[in-house]
Amino acid sequence: MKTANKQKANQKNQHALICSFLAAFFLNLSALFSQNEKPKDTANFIYYPDKIMVRANLSTQSDDYFLKDKKGTNLDLETNNSYKLFLSIDYKFIGFSYGFYPKFFGGNKDEDLKGKSSFSDYNFRFFLGRWLQTVNYSKTKGYYVANMSEFDPNWIKGKDPYLQFPDFKTMQFGMSTSYLFNSKFSLKSITSFTEWQKKSDGSFLPSLIYSYNTIRSKSDDLDGKQKEFDLKLAAGYYYNFIIHKKFYMAPNLSPSLGVKFMKDKSRDSGVETVEKETYFTRNLDGGLKIGYNSDRILFGASLNFSVSSYNEDKNNVISNDKVYGLLYFGYRFNAPGFIAKPVEKIDDKIKML
């Protein structure tokens, strides 16, 4: 018991330390460096070559797994969280964000009924000319059965506890490689916000997405570990409508097809079984962003959706459908010399690609 409490305390301390460090970093830099330098202006874009962009993104995105049984009762597993908070920093061609569950916003108050959930996410992004490379690692733990009434007709919402899986854990390491076809469209103007697009335009953005996932579940007699390798090819299209110079509306749609290689290893009452399967996956992602941009401050909102599924067998379909909103607020300030000089050298080489 003491060990479990110690681990939880360490996790909280790590999250608090990271958040405190980022907050102190942003505040100190914005106070130390002047705001006199003007952004570089061209016919199609406004560049902010010496500005660091920091943002806070509040998302309603949830983590869930949905097992559709054509002959029986569906199973809906969800995490106990209301919001996700992502703190981001972008400069020139490189960006980083850290995501977690912000309990100080009042989420997860019903842990006595749904159990506890934890989440952490680390994302790096690199703009290399017209190429975009992302690297992501995320970890989620603690799920409950959201559709309890379908399993127990006597179950009362808000009074009876949900069936919980506190040791159900998912980890994902993923990467994506994308290419921007239209040089007159700035993907940065709606992602990292290190540029601003002056004229409405769009571009085809194909992407190769690859990820390695592990799903771990434990109970009294059952210990299971599922490993997945996903490979997807997406045909994305993005457009940015510029409204009255400082406002924008940017829809995007990205259908994709892929293949999933799965290895399921489980031990039930001392008996170990190993299964290997290959599935074809279907995915559709999209959304709409709206916002305001100035030389220093920007803010906005987006509505996003993600639909993915594959047929496990003739009777079962595994799906993961999400619809979520996001609010963001960002601020630009001058980059200090010890950051600007080495990054500028690398950036000059990238522009030659």
Side-chain angles (χ1 to χ4, degrees):
M1 189 71 175
K2 290 183 179 180
T3 303
N5 292 333
K6 198 172 190 180
Q7 290 176 345
K8 293 175 184 176
N10 288 337
Q11 289 178 351
K12 290 181 179 179
N13 291 335
Q14 288 174 0
H15 288 171
L17 184 62
I18 293 173
C19 295
S20 300
F21 173 78
L22 289 174
F25 179 77
F26 296 159
L27 292 174
N28 288 334
L29 287 182
S30 62
L32 284 174
F33 298 97
S34 63
Q35 304 179 0
N36 297 325
E37 191 160 357
K38 297 294 182 182
K40 182 181 177 182
D41 195 343
T42 69
N44 295 309
F45 310 119
I46 296 176
Y47 295 96
Y48 303 95
D50 301 308
K51 298 292 188 290
I52 290 179
M53 161 58 65
V54 294
R55 279 174 296 133
N57 306 272
L58 183 64
S59 172
T60 63
Q61 182 179 358
S62 62
D63 296 284
D64 57 3
Y65 284 88
F66 194 73
L67 175 60
K68 246 182 227 180
D69 189 341
K70 296 179 180 179
K71 294 185 177 181
T73 304
N74 299 328
L75 178 64
D76 185 6
L77 293 178
E78 296 184 5
T79 55
N80 182 18
N81 69 287
S82 302
Y83 307 99
K84 288 180 179 178
L85 182 63
F86 295 87
L87 302 178
S88 301
I89 180 168
D90 291 89
Y91 179 56
K92 290 186 181 292
F93 65 92
I94 188 171
F96 169 75
S97 65
Y98 169 68
F100 60 98
Y101 289 154
K103 292 189 176 183
F104 47 82
F105 280 144
N108 302 344
K109 288 184 177 180
D110 49 359
E111 290 181 347
D112 57 329
L113 299 178
K114 297 180 180 179
K116 295 182 180 180
S117 298
S118 62
F119 166 78
S120 58
D121 180 274
Y122 303 87
N123 183 281
F124 292 88
R125 46 200 169 271
F126 305 91
F127 287 89
L128 309 173
R130 293 195 194 180
W131 293 92
L132 169 62
Q133 179 67 45
T134 67
V135 181
N136 174 265
Y137 171 77
S138 63
K139 180 180 178 181
T140 309
K141 183 179 180 182
Y143 288 75
Y144 70 94
V145 178
N147 57 333
M148 278 296 298
S149 58
E150 297 182 28
F151 293 91
D152 184 359
N154 297 319
W155 179 84
I156 302 175
K157 184 177 181 179
K159 181 181 178 181
D160 296 331
Y162 292 77
L163 180 60
Q164 301 169 19
F165 296 91
D167 293 319
F168 190 95
K169 178 171 60 177
T170 64
M171 290 186 291
Q172 181 185 71
F173 177 78
M175 294 189 289
S176 68
T177 304
S178 308
Y179 182 77
L180 185 68
F181 269 78
N182 185 2
S183 61
K184 294 183 179 180
F185 172 76
S186 172
L187 185 63
K188 293 180 181 179
S189 67
I190 58 174
T191 53
S192 65
F193 299 98
T194 54
E195 295 177 357
W196 177 248
Q197 190 166 320
K198 297 175 66 176
K199 299 179 181 180
S200 299
D201 212 330
S203 179
F204 178 53
L205 189 78
S207 301
L208 180 63
I209 305 165
Y210 30 105
S211 63
Y212 175 74
N213 314 311
T214 61
I215 301 174
R216 188 70 183 266
S217 58
K218 283 185 177 182
S219 61
D220 295 337
D221 298 321
L222 179 64
D223 186 359
K225 188 174 184 180
Q226 183 172 293
K227 298 179 180 180
E228 302 175 353
F229 178 75
D230 286 273
L231 185 65
K232 296 187 293 185
L233 184 61
Y237 188 81
Y238 291 73
Y239 199 91
N240 193 358
F241 293 96
I242 304 301
I243 306 169
H244 298 300
K245 295 183 179 180
K246 291 190 175 183
F247 295 89
Y248 78 97
M249 181 171 63
N252 69 87
L253 189 66
S254 182
S256 63
L257 294 174
V259 60
K260 179 189 292 288
F261 303 96
M262 182 184 297
K263 180 181 179 181
D264 193 346
K265 183 178 180 181
S266 63
R267 184 183 296 274
D268 188 357
S269 302
V271 180
E272 184 176 281
T273 58
V274 178
E275 296 181 2
K276 294 182 180 180
E277 299 288 349
T278 301
Y279 304 103
F280 291 100
T281 61
R282 307 169 295 274
N283 312 273
L284 181 64
D285 298 275
L288 176 67
K289 290 184 177 180
I290 57 173
Y292 167 84
N293 174 77
S294 69
D295 290 346
R296 288 291 169 185
I297 296 174
L298 57 88
F299 56 85
S302 67
L303 180 65
N304 310 278
F305 68 88
S306 176
V307 180
S308 62
S309 65
Y310 65 91
N311 295 336
E312 188 178 44
D313 52 43
K314 293 182 179 180
N315 297 322
N316 295 315
V317 178
I318 306 296
S319 65
N320 193 355
D321 303 342
K322 300 176 182 178
V323 178
Y324 59 96
L326 183 145
L327 298 174
Y328 72 86
F329 177 85
Y331 180 74
R332 296 186 184 95
F333 56 88
N334 289 356
F338 70 89
I339 293 178
K341 289 180 181 179
V343 175
E344 186 174 349
K345 291 181 181 179
I346 300 174
D347 192 37
D348 289 339
K349 293 181 180 180
I350 291 174
K351 288 178 180 177
M352 297 174 64
L353 296 176

